[in-house]
Amino acid sequence: MNIKKIIGKEFIFFDGAMGTMLQQAGLPIGELPESFNISYPEVIYDIHKKYIDAGADVITTNTFGANEYKLKDLPYSVEQIISKAVSIARDAAGNKLVALDIGPIGQLMEPIGTLKFDEAYEIFKRQIKAGETAGADLILIETISDLYEAKAAILAAKENCSLPVFCTMTFQQNGRTLTGTDPTTMVHVLEGLGIDALGINCSLGPKEIKPIIEKILKISTVPVIVQPNAGLPKLKEGKTVFDLTPEVFSEEIKNMAQMGISIIGGCCGTNPDFIKKAKKYLEGLYPIKLNNKKLTTVCSSTKTIVIGNDIKIIGERINPTGKKKLKEALRNNNLDYILSEAIKQKEAGADILDVNIGLPEINEKEMMPKIIKEIQGIVDIPLQIDSTNTDTIEAAVRVFNGKPLINSVNGKTESMKSIFPIVKKYGACVIGLTLDENGIPKKAEERAAIAEKIINTASSYGIPKENILIDCLVLTASAQQEEVMETLKAIKLVKDRFDVKTTLGVSNVSFGLPQRKIINRTFLAMALSFGLDAPIIDPLLESNLETIHTFNVLANHDKDAQNFINIYRNDSKKEEPKKLEAKKNLKQIIIDGIKDEAAQKTKELLNSITPLEIVNNYLVPALDLVGNKYEKEEIFLPQLIRSAETVKASFEVIKEHLLKEGKSNISKGKILLATVKGDIHDIGKNIVKVLLENYGFDVLDLGKDVPIEEVVEQTKAHDIKLVGLSALMTTTVKNMEQTIKAIRENHIHCYIMVGGAVLNQEYADMIGADFYAKDARESVTIAQKVFQ
């Protein structure tokens, strides 16, 4: 069975839940399921065989958590566990296929956590090499909630094995992953990385997944896979149950198959009956071929920019050419100045930010990835990686969380040979400059010919033309006046002949002339009328924005002039350049997430106001504002954590000040956090800890898999007023209930809040908790209520 030959042509059925089946087979709470591969191989074989008998075409190895981080306390190596798991699955599969299961590592990646991209890559690489050596037929990367982690896993698979790679992410009911990725962004980034199928698994039932799948099916150009839970978890008679029947589950699967999914399986709560019934419901049907048109897109981890619908602005200010302050910032490693430039451009309306740090006296290859990671931790728009150094480009593109735009390749054979492999591997977009070994041609026709060479050569590398923006190159009106119009003619030729998007560094036209902004503004308007899609400009110059906003109205991009009216309805004529250099107060610094500035500003404020006034007037209001933005989905987890970490920098200064003054710390109350006994998944609890600490609460973190007695003992010993308990697994919710019961029986007067993927308000009420925290932000609101 060759999965690549049948994918998209007939329905492919994966198996259902492994964890649910193992629990029914007697897996003790708290024991790693992967240990059963060694201790009870017959149990694993039996589960696989049941799924094969039910009609599964692919069975998934019992290796969801078989990574070196989760297995560190077992006496078996990653290779031993995976080799045995593949062997068992292979014996059970017969002529069916075996997928190596790869789940999340279990640690938060930078910038939310501490796990570095390269470390994650190495962990996945070890699993994948072991899986291919053992004889797996394909790689299934699943239940991923962080797009960055998905990228590390996919690259590890693509660079270290030749097997087909499928990837599914897990979404919340708000239609985004835990770290804020939307379905559209997931599709564009994962497709770019070259996977063979993508989709959704876990967290939700088929009914809740359907609206998310609908969005994916409208844009995906690769087959789509769905592996839902058997509904949403509920607690009945002290046990967690999923209440969808195989019939209801299969009816929903059939609906989604008629929408366009072609690969089907089950997750938590499903069993062989679900797979058998789903297969029965799809008898006589064939997958619908997805005919979605490829789009020109670039993405951050939470936002997709589609180039071509209207004019998109590429901010040019992070480029040291002619900028003394930026040069000094780069030489002095002053990242805050660079981050401020990023924030200002985004606030002014930039859709994409160009990042160029080319100075001869700095190590560009080392510095660029560092700056990229900092910028993407603070703004949510895509980046354009701008360098003449191929190694620098690859280093930056590799760590970028999303789909970047590379600036640039040109028509020289050597340039295309070095840049196109990077574009292809990372699924990036690239700017193609219309110059070659003979320089920049004078005439439009010659530039169009180079554009054609770039597009055709890219195609030979497997890069679609939708991932190319052509730059017909601006020449200065002061020195080459006759050729200015040739640039504009070339834009039209390129668009008409090749149907590709275009970009242009607009301000080059005025070099050497007075009143450059007048020439720039006029040339921008002319270029837009010739078909320019994405001008590279200074978005802080109001004249540039006015031209673009006006063009969008006149070109019928801005329907009913709604955007124009929103911007200018109450606006008297503004001065230019736009004045955005005013000093920020501490509240704005925290909202922007500039850590070093926060520390410095806090020191200044301590000369005039008390520490408590700083906390109450600046820190908490700033975090409240950021929290509200998070709740409204205007920002996402990385930005929320970034602001929280910025507050930490202020708190450190305040603590030092208080120590010098011989005064006690400012604390809003002490909170105990624990992931309950039997549960080793503590990512959510760790996020809650970061937020609570930075709202001024003292947190006593007992860690994960915490015995009931320890929670009781520590709560009593530290006179805790609020206890936070987390659980990810349905099987450990029972221990959460018993922990609450033990606290009550010991007559400890405290409030208890609970949270975790399987929890909801109904659960919380049923097990006797005082509060249910649906997310980290909610835990802060609860703490503020308790300690008010």
Side-chain angles (χ1 to χ4, degrees):
M1 186 176 181
N2 185 330
I3 200 161
K4 283 198 173 182
K5 285 188 177 175
I6 62 169
I7 190 170
K9 295 174 184 166
E10 56 187 81
F11 290 115
I12 297 172
F13 285 84
F14 274 63
D15 49 12
M18 170 61 79
T20 302
M21 298 288 284
L22 280 173
Q23 287 155 21
Q24 290 170 2
L27 175 70
I29 291 173
E31 183 162 340
L32 285 175
E34 292 77 13
S35 66
F36 263 42
N37 294 333
I38 308 292
S39 53
Y40 299 101
E42 69 282 1
V43 173
I44 304 299
Y45 176 88
D46 185 55
I47 293 170
H48 287 325
K49 193 69 173 59
K50 284 177 178 171
Y51 278 119
I52 290 291
D53 292 343
D57 303 303
V58 184
I59 54 173
T60 312
T61 57
N62 180 35
T63 53
F64 178 81
N67 62 65
E68 58 198 55
Y69 170 69
K70 288 184 178 172
L71 299 183
K72 64 180 185 299
D73 295 327
L74 284 187
Y76 314 113
S77 68
V78 170
E79 289 75 14
Q80 286 174 310
I81 290 285
I82 288 179
S83 175
K84 186 65 178 173
V86 174
S87 170
I88 299 167
R90 175 61 63 207
D91 287 344
N95 63 351
K96 304 296 183 180
L97 299 177
V98 172
L100 175 70
D101 193 23
I102 304 277
I105 293 171
Q107 282 196 304
L108 290 167
M109 290 184 67
E110 291 182 329
I112 302 172
T114 56
L115 183 65
K116 296 183 185 304
F117 182 84
D118 289 342
E119 292 171 342
Y121 173 90
E122 290 298 328
I123 289 172
F124 287 127
K125 175 183 170 182
R126 186 175 173 188
Q127 293 173 264
I128 286 157
K129 290 184 81 166
E132 185 179 40
T133 302
D137 298 305
L138 65 136
I139 308 292
L140 175 64
I141 300 162
E142 57 140 323
T143 323
I144 305 291
S145 57
D146 184 347
L147 189 67
Y148 209 26
E149 190 170 9
K151 178 175 179 176
I154 293 168
L155 282 177
K158 302 292 284 185
E159 293 179 348
N160 295 285
C161 81
S162 56
L163 301 177
V165 181
F166 292 11
C167 181
T168 56
M169 297 190 72
T170 184
F171 286 74
Q172 305 173 124
Q173 282 187 291
N174 65 0
R176 288 184 180 262
T177 69
L178 175 69
T179 52
T181 298
D182 60 282
T184 301
T185 298
M186 178 193 77
V187 170
H188 290 301
V189 174
L190 298 193
E191 277 191 1
L193 291 169
I195 56 165
D196 297 284
L198 59 80
I200 302 177
N201 79 299
C202 204
S203 286
L204 304 172
K207 186 178 177 184
E208 294 79 23
I209 277 179
K210 199 155 63 177
I212 306 171
I213 278 294
E214 193 171 7
K215 291 180 182 175
I216 291 173
L217 288 170
K218 284 181 180 174
I219 52 174
S220 180
T221 59
V222 301
V224 175
I225 177 170
V226 175
Q227 295 184 305
N229 289 348
L232 298 176
K234 293 182 179 174
L235 197 64
K236 284 186 180 174
E237 299 175 352
K239 291 184 177 176
T240 304
V241 297
F242 295 85
D243 61 0
L244 281 194
T245 64
E247 289 76 15
V248 175
F249 178 89
S250 301
E251 189 63 42
E252 296 287 355
I253 290 291
K254 184 178 178 181
N255 289 338
M256 286 190 277
Q258 290 169 332
M259 290 161 57
I261 66 166
S262 59
I263 306 170
I264 295 125
C267 206
C268 300
T270 62
N271 59 41
D273 292 341
F274 286 75
I275 303 305
K276 187 175 183 179
K277 190 63 71 177
K279 192 153 187 170
K280 179 78 177 168
Y281 270 57
L282 265 59
E283 276 182 0
L285 298 178
Y286 290 92
I288 296 169
K289 188 176 179 184
L290 300 178
N291 288 313
N292 295 314
K293 186 177 183 298
K294 284 186 180 292
L295 301 172
T296 301
T297 60
V298 287
C299 313
S300 67
S301 65
T302 57
K303 181 176 281 187
T304 294
I305 299 294
V306 180
I307 298 172
N309 291 343
D310 55 9
I311 307 305
K312 300 301 180 190
I313 298 170
I314 302 175
E316 67 176 8
R317 290 178 63 88
I318 305 178
N319 185 327
T321 305
K323 297 186 180 74
K324 189 178 175 184
K325 284 185 180 176
L326 183 58
K327 285 179 182 174
E328 286 177 5
L330 288 168
R331 289 180 188 125
N332 298 324
N333 201 21
N334 178 4
L335 296 188
D336 280 356
Y337 179 84
I338 298 166
L339 296 180
S340 295
E341 285 291 330
I343 292 168
K344 283 189 292 188
Q345 291 184 91
K346 191 229 168 183
E347 289 177 348
D351 299 291
I352 303 163
L353 296 182
D354 183 83
V355 182
N356 182 321
I357 59 166
L359 283 180
E361 59 268 44
I362 68 169
N363 186 328
E364 193 183 2
K365 187 184 172 186
E366 283 183 10
M367 191 79 169
M368 182 70 103
K370 188 176 173 185
I371 289 175
I372 292 295
K373 285 196 274 189
E374 288 289 327
I375 294 176
Q376 70 185 7
I378 198 170
V379 297
D380 64 350
I381 56 178
L383 302 183
Q384 174 171 293
I385 314 295
D386 185 356
S387 175
T388 56
N389 184 302
T390 304
D391 291 341
T392 297
I393 287 175
E394 174 149 24
V397 169
R398 191 171 182 84
V399 301
F400 179 68
N401 190 4
K403 179 181 177 183
L405 176 57
I406 292 173
N407 190 7
S408 56
V409 70
N410 60 51
K412 294 179 183 176
T413 302
E414 193 58 36
S415 173
M416 293 188 285
K417 195 175 170 184
S418 60
I419 295 296
F420 281 149
I422 299 172
V423 176
K424 173 62 180 171
K425 183 199 282 191
Y426 299 99
C429 274
V430 65
I431 293 176
L433 307 180
T434 54
L435 64 87
D436 60 13
E437 288 81 357
N438 299 314
I440 303 174
K442 289 187 176 182
K443 296 298 180 185
E445 281 285 355
E446 296 169 299
R447 294 188 209 180
I450 295 176
E452 185 176 20
K453 181 169 71 170
I454 291 171
I455 294 165
N456 290 340
T457 308
S459 178
S460 71
Y461 282 84
I463 300 166
K465 67 179 182 181
E466 289 79 9
N467 279 358
I468 299 171
L469 282 82
I470 293 295
D471 184 342
C472 293
L473 294 171
V474 177
L475 299 175
T476 59
S478 58
Q480 294 160 287
Q481 191 172 2
E482 291 178 358
E483 291 158 25
V484 171
M485 287 304 295
E486 292 299 316
T487 298
L488 301 181
K489 290 176 191 171
I491 291 175
K492 190 167 188 320
L493 277 178
V494 164
K495 287 186 71 80
D496 289 347
R497 287 183 187 173
F498 313 122
D499 190 24
V500 293
K501 308 309 175 198
T502 57
T503 185
L504 212 58
V506 172
S507 59
N508 293 337
V509 74
S510 60
F511 187 78
L513 292 171
Q515 290 296 325
R516 292 185 64 183
K517 63 188 176 193
I518 300 174
I519 295 175
N520 292 345
R521 180 179 61 199
T522 307
F523 182 67
L524 174 61
M526 294 168 70
L528 292 174
S529 69
F530 274 77
L532 176 62
D533 297 294
I536 303 171
I537 57 173
D538 182 351
L540 301 193
L541 282 178
E542 192 63 25
S543 58
N544 284 336
L545 298 186
E546 286 173 348
T547 301
I548 290 171
H549 294 148
T550 305
F551 178 83
N552 277 334
V553 173
L554 301 179
N556 200 28
H557 295 321
D558 183 3
K559 296 295 180 187
D560 301 323
Q562 285 188 1
N563 186 51
F564 187 90
I565 292 169
N566 288 337
I567 294 171
Y568 296 110
R569 60 156 51 105
N570 298 318
D571 198 22
S572 56
K573 182 63 184 167
K574 295 177 181 175
E575 296 293 327
E576 56 180 324
K578 202 172 182 178
K579 294 180 178 176
L580 292 178
E581 300 293 344
K583 275 197 166 184
K584 296 175 183 174
N585 65 30
L586 181 57
K587 187 178 170 186
Q588 188 59 49
I589 290 169
I590 291 166
I591 293 167
D592 289 345
I594 310 291
K595 295 178 193 173
D596 289 348
E597 280 190 25
Q600 183 57 39
K601 180 59 76 175
T602 304
K603 286 177 187 171
E604 291 172 18
L605 286 173
L606 283 170
N607 293 325
S608 56
I609 60 176
T610 67
L612 191 59
E613 286 174 317
I614 294 175
V615 173
N616 289 335
N617 298 339
Y618 293 96
L619 305 191
V620 172
L623 282 176
D624 282 343
L625 186 61
V626 171
N628 289 334
K629 285 178 172 233
Y630 175 74
E631 286 178 350
K632 292 176 184 172
E633 297 182 5
E634 293 173 10
I635 63 169
F636 301 97
L637 196 56
Q639 290 79 38
L640 181 68
I641 295 292
R642 177 87 186 191
S643 287
E645 291 289 347
T646 305
V647 167
K648 193 174 180 181
S650 280
F651 264 118
E652 290 301 320
V653 173
I654 290 172
K655 283 178 186 172
E656 273 182 36
H657 178 83
L658 289 172
L659 281 175
K660 283 182 186 172
E661 298 279 315
K663 295 175 183 174
S664 59
N665 262 337
I666 291 176
S667 172
K668 292 188 168 293
K670 187 179 284 184
I671 300 168
L672 182 147
L673 293 182
T675 301
V676 298
K677 182 173 173 52
D679 208 318
I680 59 167
H681 305 86
D682 62 349
I683 284 180
K685 184 260 298 171
N686 292 339
I687 294 171
V688 169
K689 180 185 174 188
V690 169
L691 279 192
L692 287 174
E693 284 183 336
N694 293 305
Y695 263 84
F697 297 99
D698 280 341
V699 176
L700 178 61
D701 181 7
L702 300 186
K704 58 193 176 186
D705 192 17
V706 183
I708 294 170
E709 306 76 38
E710 188 179 349
V711 175
V712 172
E713 186 183 318
Q714 295 294 329
T715 304
K716 195 185 288 183
H718 293 275
D719 192 21
I720 299 293
K721 195 174 177 183
L722 178 60
V723 172
L725 300 175
S726 76
L728 177 74
M729 298 161 62
T730 54
T731 51
T732 52
V733 174
K734 188 68 182 171
N735 286 342
M736 183 179 272
E737 182 181 20
Q738 289 173 352
T739 305
I740 295 171
K741 192 177 173 188
I743 291 173
R744 305 298 191 214
E745 286 175 352
N746 278 273
H747 307 292
I748 302 171
H749 299 293
C750 66
Y751 293 96
I752 301 172
M753 64 177 171
V754 296
V758 296
L759 272 291
N760 55 34
Q761 187 64 56
E762 184 188 357
Y763 255 101
D765 294 341
M766 199 172 292
I767 62 179
D770 298 297
F771 301 102
Y772 163 60
K774 64 178 172 35
D775 55 30
R777 165 67 180 152
E778 181 74 15
S779 71
V780 173
T781 305
I782 292 167
Q784 288 171 327
K785 275 185 195 170
V786 170
F787 291 100
Q788 67 183 353

